[in-house]
Amino acid sequence: MTSDIIHDEPSNVVPLVRDETQLEYILDFLLGIAFLIIGVIAAKRMAWSRTQGSVETNVVTAFYSLILITSFFRAMWFLIPNTLLQPSYVPHAVMAFDPKYPSWVGGFLSEEILTAGSLCLFSIFILILVYWADILKKYFYPGSRRSRPMTNFLYIVGFLFVIELLNAILFLFRFYSSEGMILLNSILLSTVSIICVIEITIFSHKFRTVLQTLGAINQVSTESQVKRIAWITVTGNLFFFTRAFIELIFACLMILYWHKHGTVQRAFSHPLWDTYMCLKHWSEVIILSLMIYILQSRFSTSNGGEVRAGEDGYQEVPTEEEEDDEPKVSENIVV
């Protein structure tokens, strides 16, 4: 069988063979099935949420939709055999429209599917953060003009999409090879991860302050909301810290190897690449599973005075009309 060829330099021709190992086949299959199961659960929960028809459940439907789309892209990426798209399982530097390496098309499509899944995954927490920011602005800056949270969400995600689109265009116009496209993705995702860690930490601290104040004003327990926010804070920070660390290590290895050898052609061995893939994507499985659990769990006790959390992920503090003996503050809390 004739192998594909890529060129590092005009005088350096490197043959590519189909090198996916049995372990990598198994790992990809297990990850694909895991994401597929998460997608099925998210689809069922989204269908239930859509039948409720309230503003609160519309927001939760958006969360489930993002989880579903993320799982779809990830399941597709893992369940489609890598050998159908590109011969090499580990990254290799190729240029677009290289006649000696026609499989660059499959490699490009593979990278775009992977990128789409990452954008959808990060969008879940971006959506949480923009709603938290909107609610906090209402309480810390009352009377100030607030833009729609969904509009802010679309602006942020649109900005990330434009960056990824430019990255793809620069690759197609041969400004850099596939290694440059992968490197830019790693730098972007590590930067977004660090920002998310900072924002989640700041917003969750402020949110707990707001909830404690609301609980004192309304003389009700807000423990269930605080627990939900604590879950989101801990799991979100662990995920994004891990993701930032992994992507930064990946980017640094690529830069150092490129600086030393002028290419990342042999920067990653199969064991190193397999470790990177396992840490990166099994952490995604865990965070998506926890998000589904958090959205549908209740965190309430049998105490009749506690604010109860519905399955739609919202909790409500009593309104002024419910208690007329003193001023009350009401809000549906997105957690």
Side-chain angles (χ1 to χ4, degrees):
M1 179 178 63
T2 303
S3 61
D4 294 305
I5 302 293
I6 67 171
H7 291 267
D8 291 333
E9 300 286 341
S11 61
N12 185 19
V13 180
V14 181
L16 286 182
V17 297
R18 302 189 185 280
D19 60 354
E20 188 169 3
T21 65
Q22 184 177 4
L23 175 61
E24 289 163 349
Y25 274 114
I26 295 173
L27 289 175
D28 282 2
F29 177 76
L30 292 176
L31 280 166
I33 294 300
F35 281 113
L36 191 61
I37 293 172
I38 292 173
V40 171
I41 296 174
K44 291 182 178 179
R45 296 298 305 170
M46 184 178 69
W48 173 88
S49 181
R50 285 174 62 88
T51 62
Q52 306 306 302
S54 66
V55 175
E56 291 85 354
T57 52
N58 287 340
V59 177
V60 175
T61 299
F63 282 115
Y64 282 126
S65 299
L66 290 172
I67 295 174
L68 173 61
I69 298 172
T70 301
S71 302
F72 169 77
F73 280 120
R74 284 293 188 258
M76 186 192 339
W77 195 78
F78 282 109
L79 293 179
I80 295 177
N82 183 77
T83 52
L84 292 180
L85 297 176
Q86 54 187 342
S88 178
Y89 190 78
V90 298
H92 283 77
V94 296
M95 296 296 293
F97 304 103
D98 188 341
K100 295 185 178 180
Y101 187 62
S103 294
W104 72 266
V105 178
F108 174 71
L109 291 177
S110 176
E111 185 64 24
E112 291 306 300
I113 293 173
L114 187 65
T115 299
S118 297
L119 283 180
C120 292
L121 175 64
F122 279 65
S123 296
I124 297 170
F125 281 89
I126 293 173
L127 184 60
I128 292 174
L129 289 174
V130 295
Y131 271 99
W132 280 9
D134 180 70
I135 294 171
L136 290 172
K137 187 175 181 180
K138 175 179 179 179
Y139 287 111
F140 283 94
Y141 305 99
S144 62
R145 185 176 181 180
R146 291 153 45 216
S147 57
R148 292 178 179 270
M150 192 58 70
T151 301
N152 292 335
F153 168 76
L154 293 176
Y155 282 150
I156 296 172
V157 174
F159 174 74
L160 296 177
F161 175 79
V162 168
I163 293 178
E164 292 294 355
L165 181 61
L166 289 174
N167 189 28
I169 291 174
L170 291 174
F171 168 73
L172 292 175
F173 278 85
R174 301 172 61 89
F175 279 86
Y176 44 67
S177 67
S178 58
E179 64 186 9
M181 185 169 60
I182 296 172
L183 178 60
L184 190 146
N185 284 336
S186 294
I187 294 174
L188 176 64
L189 293 179
S190 61
T191 302
V192 174
S193 296
I194 293 172
I195 294 174
C196 286
V197 168
I198 296 173
E199 293 297 317
I200 288 174
T201 302
I202 295 174
F203 285 171
S204 64
H205 175 73
K206 291 183 177 181
F207 225 128
R208 286 194 292 268
T209 301
V210 169
L211 287 171
Q212 290 169 356
T213 303
L214 290 176
I217 292 174
N218 291 280
Q219 296 182 350
V220 294
S221 172
T222 56
E223 182 180 356
S224 60
Q225 293 101 318
V226 172
K227 285 183 178 179
R228 190 178 297 267
I229 290 175
W231 268 89
I232 294 176
T233 303
V234 173
T235 56
N237 279 349
L238 282 175
F239 169 74
F240 283 113
F241 179 81
T242 302
R243 188 58 174 265
F245 179 78
I246 293 173
E247 296 293 351
L248 283 174
I249 293 296
F250 179 80
C252 288
L253 284 175
M254 289 187 69
I255 294 173
L256 290 174
Y257 202 91
W258 178 84
H259 180 73
K260 184 176 181 180
H261 300 282
T263 178
V264 296
Q265 188 69 18
R266 302 175 186 85
F268 300 99
S269 63
H270 279 268
L272 181 60
W273 182 251
D274 293 345
T275 301
Y276 168 76
M277 294 294 288
C278 283
L279 289 174
K280 177 180 177 179
H281 294 295
W282 279 114
S283 67
E284 293 178 350
V285 170
I286 293 171
I287 194 64
L288 289 176
S289 301
L290 287 173
M291 287 304 301
I292 290 178
Y293 170 75
I294 291 170
L295 284 171
Q296 67 183 0
S297 64
R298 289 183 177 270
F299 288 109
S300 59
T301 66
S302 58
N303 185 350
E306 183 175 7
V307 180
R308 298 190 64 82
E311 288 197 2
D312 57 10
Y314 284 77
Q315 293 131 339
E316 187 173 59
V317 176
T319 62
E320 291 90 339
E321 290 75 20
E322 292 173 327
E323 298 283 352
D324 294 329
D325 54 341
E326 61 179 318
K328 304 292 180 182
V329 180
S330 66
E331 181 62 53
N332 287 327
I333 306 296
V334 181
V335 294

